[in-house]
Amino acid sequence: MNRFDYARPASVAEAVQAGAGEQVRFLAGGTNLIDLMKENVDRPTTVIDINRLPLNAIEELDGGGLRLGALVPNAETAWDARVEQRYPLLSSAILAGASPQLRNAATNGGNLNQRTRCYYFYDVATPCNKREPGSGCGAIGGVNRIHAILGASDQCIATHPSDMCVALAVLDATVQVTGPEGDRAIPIADYHRLPGDEPWRDNTLKPGELVTGIDLPAEDFTQTYTYLKLRDRLSYAFALVSIAVAMRVEDGTIAEARVALGGVAHKPWRSTEAEKLLKGQHPSPQAFGTFADALLAGAVGQGENDFKIPLARKGIVRALKQAAEATPQSQTDKRVA
């Protein structure tokens, strides 16, 4: 047992003040942090329990959007009537993740900040630049079936495990944070980062900053959308490849299409440039295939995960077809509360 100090602030300001320091961690649902502490991957000197903070509500925003409180459980978010009706893509993505028990405990802020499930990151007896900078990446040339095919570096080929974040990328969400320097809003596209030469940095949070909420802009993707998750088993498994699609079809042509991939990179993978290829096209396998090739440009396998490239291409085409036909992928376990 590693010794650590424990604090339970009553306000956001107190939490920010207590959160100064490198080895300080905020604790919400604990579904990831506690595992990391048990495995000696993360050894904080101070744990700050933020569960008493007033961040557990879903609120209306001016203009028709929603603000998801950082401490709202994933299950409560997915089942909220406003989310189901106005953002069914997000509801579907959340319900595709983890298990009912974990979704009841995990929070929106925690989901956003969860860490990779790379085998080497969790095994302290192996090299991992994310866990121990400069030690090397055991996954390169090692067991890498679940690892990245896009955006990787020679320092790290880990992937981000979230389903929720893939949908947030398509919905152009904004992450609200507060910290020692005050409040700021971070577009979801700029929140997570690629590994580069600093793979230990998962996101663009500054030291001591705390996520307070996630803003969803008013959108109208209530029919032509889908979240397709390709994994080893139907439930309680991370994505090998996942695809979130939101589309607008007008007079038989695609007026707008947004696509993000999960399970393939260190962050949700989206290309607004590639999406331009779909605008004005009639929904067809040919148009979808051309887009898929553009979105996957530069994809590189690491040996065991080479299969992910054709899997992703086929998944993209299938997901686009589902969205265009307004037949979203069903999450078969979604009625298990």
Side-chain angles (χ1 to χ4, degrees):
M1 179 68 182
N2 298 310
R3 296 182 64 87
F4 58 87
D5 294 327
Y6 174 85
R8 184 182 266 185
S11 69
V12 172
E14 288 180 16
V16 170
Q17 185 177 11
E22 278 192 24
Q23 294 302 314
V24 178
R25 299 291 182 266
F26 293 116
L27 172 68
T31 56
N32 190 202
L33 177 61
I34 300 303
D35 284 346
L36 294 172
M37 292 173 67
K38 286 179 178 178
E39 297 292 338
N40 280 321
V41 175
D42 202 346
R43 303 179 66 175
T45 56
T46 302
V47 173
I48 302 172
D49 186 339
I50 60 173
N51 284 290
R52 289 185 177 178
L53 303 186
L55 304 174
N56 57 352
I58 297 177
E59 302 171 318
E60 295 283 347
L61 293 174
D62 293 340
L66 288 178
R67 174 166 294 172
L68 312 176
L71 293 179
V72 178
N74 286 173
E76 186 175 326
T77 300
W79 290 114
D80 184 277
R82 294 163 295 179
V83 175
E84 282 193 289
Q85 294 167 10
R86 287 145 62 178
Y87 306 96
L89 172 60
L90 178 59
S91 180
S92 182
I94 292 174
L95 292 170
S99 66
Q101 295 90 338
L102 286 170
R103 293 193 295 266
N104 285 336
T107 63
N108 292 330
N111 192 314
L112 198 70
N113 292 323
Q114 65 179 300
R115 309 214 65 188
T116 184
R117 294 323 195 270
C118 171
Y119 318 125
Y120 297 91
F121 177 67
Y122 271 81
D123 186 348
V124 296
T126 63
C128 172
N129 286 320
K130 182 178 285 295
R131 173 174 33 80
E132 186 179 349
S135 63
C137 177
I140 297 177
V143 180
N144 51 42
R145 182 173 180 272
I146 66 171
H147 289 75
I149 56 173
L150 290 162
S153 73
D154 60 2
Q155 300 292 308
C156 179
I157 58 172
T159 59
H160 193 272
S162 174
D163 293 291
M164 181 187 82
C165 292
V166 184
L168 292 178
V170 163
L171 294 171
D172 286 336
T174 300
V175 182
Q176 299 292 335
V177 306
T178 189
E181 299 176 12
D183 301 338
R184 65 186 182 118
I186 308 173
I188 189 67
D190 299 329
Y191 186 80
H192 298 103
R193 59 184 301 280
L194 296 177
D197 294 329
E198 298 179 299
W200 53 91
R201 294 183 59 215
D202 293 346
N203 53 54
T204 55
L205 282 176
K206 297 177 182 178
E209 283 190 322
L210 171 68
V211 174
T212 58
I214 302 168
D215 288 359
L216 303 176
E219 298 286 6
D220 185 21
F221 297 117
T222 57
Q223 299 297 322
T224 45
Y225 73 92
T226 195
Y227 185 73
L228 177 61
K229 183 174 182 178
L230 306 175
R231 46 187 162 171
D232 287 321
R233 56 180 183 267
L234 186 59
S235 182
Y236 197 41
F238 293 101
L240 294 168
V241 177
S242 65
I243 307 101
V245 179
M247 185 183 293
R248 289 193 182 90
V249 179
E250 299 175 357
D251 299 324
T253 61
I254 299 170
E256 181 181 9
R258 304 179 191 175
V259 183
L261 305 181
V264 299
H266 200 255
K267 61 180 290 184
W269 190 264
R270 184 182 170 194
S271 170
T272 55
E273 283 299 311
E275 288 168 3
K276 293 177 183 178
L277 296 173
L278 289 171
K279 188 173 182 178
Q281 297 293 317
H282 292 284
S284 69
Q286 293 75 23
F288 298 158
T290 298
F291 166 78
D293 290 338
L295 186 59
L296 293 171
V300 177
Q302 298 290 334
E304 291 187 359
N305 72 345
D306 291 353
F307 73 95
K308 279 193 174 189
I309 299 174
L311 179 67
R313 189 184 190 281
K314 292 177 182 177
I316 293 166
V317 172
R318 176 179 166 189
L320 284 166
K321 182 175 185 291
Q322 289 179 341
E325 295 176 352
T327 55
Q329 181 73 22
S330 172
Q331 309 304 335
T332 59
D333 68 338
K334 69 178 292 186
R335 290 294 163 188
V336 180

